[in-house]
Amino acid sequence: MASWLALEALFRVTSRATKSIDEHPPTPRPVRVLCLHGYSSNGILLEKHLQPIRSCLPQSWEWHYIDGDYPVPLSTSPPGEHSCRSYYPTPDAHHIDEAHSQVHLYTLLNGLGYDIILGFGQGAALAASILLHEQRDWQIGESEFKLGVFFSSSIPYAKCLQADYNARHVFGIEGETPEVVRDRTTDVPGEMLPTEEQNRFRCQEHETVWEEDFNVDKDGVVWRAETRLCMSLEGHEACRGARKTDKIVVVDKGERTFYQMFHPDVEKARIQIPTVHIHGRNDPWRVQGRALMRMCDEDKVQYAIHEGGHEIPGWGEDLDDVVEAIREGLKEVGIPLEDDE
């Protein structure tokens, strides 16, 4: 008899608790956006450039900005909190892996969960690389993110050596191809090759100083990084504006340096979540950005092109077109377009 009374009491307590939850449902958390800046920028500058777009979206959203781990000490860098940063000094597999780890560690430490991943330039390529690796490595049906927004993205690079094009020669690494990447095609499409102006890592003529660093990666490979620091104050024609302490990174004189370029012609994985792609008509990276679109689910792609270059538009019809593309992406994933009253 006593046990039945206990069960009845437990039922009454459970019923009251359920009723209380029904009457006071948890307050839904705000939409959260994870933002990755471009090369030679930082979170503060990206926040400033995104402000016109943010003003057209719900004001309850939370925007989080990650500064890259690598300083870019160009002569044009403003001092202090506005110092220029990058997520990787060059997109070899080792540095791409480091950048992935930085982003994943940030999300784990914050423990918040993010609905949208947004990037500009290098940050957009990194965001795309993360989303592609989700499908390629984990083969998960559902991403941590609901929507990807890519401004002026270049082509993403992989952190593993069994992916896509072996693009080592594009970055000046010649000689015999190591066995570990020998089966990866090196016939990189011509439109994917960086121009001299875009390539920041080819200065060969000026005075340099060498530094060495050693570390062991998760696969037990010893990386010997020989970092050449440009000592020129005025730059040279060969490096198209390199400045003091621009970095060129070589690992084991090329024996352990791998550049694995994602490309839709050879990569089977596709980003499954809806994506928004925004490029300037005069952006030199536009061709690479269009290749990225082909690595996304074509039924879930929104696209906007503005009349500028490698930039985030902030006014006029260009701004309207960008906001409309983002709002279409939000509709696709069911994120509210307005704040709740």
Side-chain angles (χ1 to χ4, degrees):
M1 185 69 172
S3 60
W4 281 106
L5 291 174
L7 287 173
E8 184 180 1
L10 178 61
F11 177 78
R12 287 197 299 270
V13 170
T14 305
S15 297
R16 287 197 299 270
T18 303
K19 183 177 180 181
S20 175
I21 292 174
D22 290 340
E23 291 175 350
H24 304 285
T27 303
R29 67 167 177 79
V31 172
R32 294 191 176 111
V33 188
L34 186 66
C35 302
L36 308 180
H37 62 74
Y39 183 88
S40 188
S41 185
N42 57 54
I44 293 175
L45 294 175
L46 179 59
E47 182 177 17
K48 177 182 178 181
H49 295 150
L50 286 173
Q51 189 54 47
I53 294 171
R54 289 184 55 177
S55 67
C56 301
L57 296 170
Q59 298 305 296
S60 61
W61 287 14
E62 292 183 3
W63 299 70
H64 296 238
Y65 301 84
I66 307 178
D67 279 345
D69 278 344
Y70 286 88
V72 181
L74 303 177
S75 64
T76 55
S77 298
E81 62 182 3
H82 295 291
S83 62
C84 296
R85 314 288 299 181
S86 70
Y87 298 103
Y88 42 84
T90 182
D92 63 43
H94 176 61
H95 286 99
I96 295 296
D97 191 23
E98 281 187 344
H100 278 235
S101 297
Q102 182 193 356
V103 174
H104 290 314
L105 181 61
Y106 181 93
T107 59
L108 286 173
L109 291 178
N110 282 277
L112 298 174
Y114 290 92
D115 304 282
I116 301 169
I117 185 167
L118 177 152
F120 173 81
Q122 186 189 82
L126 175 57
S129 178
I130 290 171
L131 293 173
L132 282 166
H133 272 284
E134 281 186 348
Q135 296 300 322
R136 193 182 194 284
D137 302 343
W138 307 337
Q139 297 181 346
I140 60 176
E142 186 173 345
S143 172
E144 172 187 358
F145 305 99
K146 297 177 182 177
L147 178 68
V149 180
F150 307 130
F151 287 90
S152 300
S153 182
S154 55
I155 201 74
Y157 281 75
K159 65 178 182 177
C160 64
L161 306 186
Q162 291 72 43
D164 290 42
Y165 287 107
N166 169 12
R168 299 167 85 237
H169 70 281
V170 174
F171 292 84
I173 301 175
E174 305 296 347
E176 184 179 354
T177 301
E179 185 69 33
V180 69
V181 292
R182 191 158 292 165
D183 64 336
R184 309 311 305 172
T185 178
T186 61
D187 190 19
V188 177
E191 67 271 16
M192 295 296 107
L193 300 180
T195 66
E196 284 296 326
E197 186 172 353
Q198 294 163 352
N199 194 334
R200 304 171 188 271
F201 308 107
R202 286 188 172 177
C203 185
Q204 303 290 333
E205 304 299 328
H206 49 267
E207 179 185 0
T208 59
V209 61
W210 292 84
E211 293 182 348
E212 283 193 346
D213 182 46
F214 292 83
N215 63 78
V216 181
D217 69 11
K218 62 183 180 182
D219 297 319
V221 176
V222 177
W223 298 76
R224 179 168 62 87
E226 294 179 334
T227 303
R228 181 167 57 186
L229 304 178
C230 169
M231 300 306 291
S232 168
L233 294 177
E234 71 279 359
H236 297 84
E237 183 66 19
C239 59
R240 296 285 183 169
R243 296 293 187 263
K244 185 177 181 181
T245 68
D246 272 11
K247 290 187 176 181
I248 302 173
V249 176
V250 180
V251 182
D252 267 358
K253 296 183 178 178
E255 296 174 9
R256 294 290 184 184
T257 305
F258 304 100
Y259 290 87
Q260 304 302 123
M261 179 189 290
F262 276 125
H263 192 276
D265 288 350
V266 289
E267 176 56 48
K268 296 180 179 179
R270 293 293 182 265
I271 295 173
Q272 297 298 310
I273 63 172
T275 54
V276 180
H277 303 255
I278 297 144
H279 269 85
R281 196 174 301 279
N282 301 308
D283 189 345
W285 300 101
R286 181 183 168 194
V287 173
Q288 293 198 12
R290 293 185 70 85
L292 171 59
M293 290 174 62
R294 293 171 53 205
M295 283 184 281
C296 302
D297 186 328
E298 62 181 8
D299 295 328
K300 301 176 183 177
V301 166
Q302 302 294 330
Y303 179 63
I305 185 166
H306 56 84
E307 298 302 318
H310 195 67
E311 61 195 73
I312 297 175
W315 59 85
E317 293 184 4
D318 285 342
L319 175 61
D320 294 340
D321 291 344
V322 168
V323 172
E324 181 60 26
I326 294 174
R327 290 174 71 89
E328 289 299 317
L330 296 173
K331 289 179 184 177
E332 181 77 24
V333 297
I335 294 178
L337 300 177
E338 306 294 341
D339 286 316
D340 293 332
E341 296 296 336

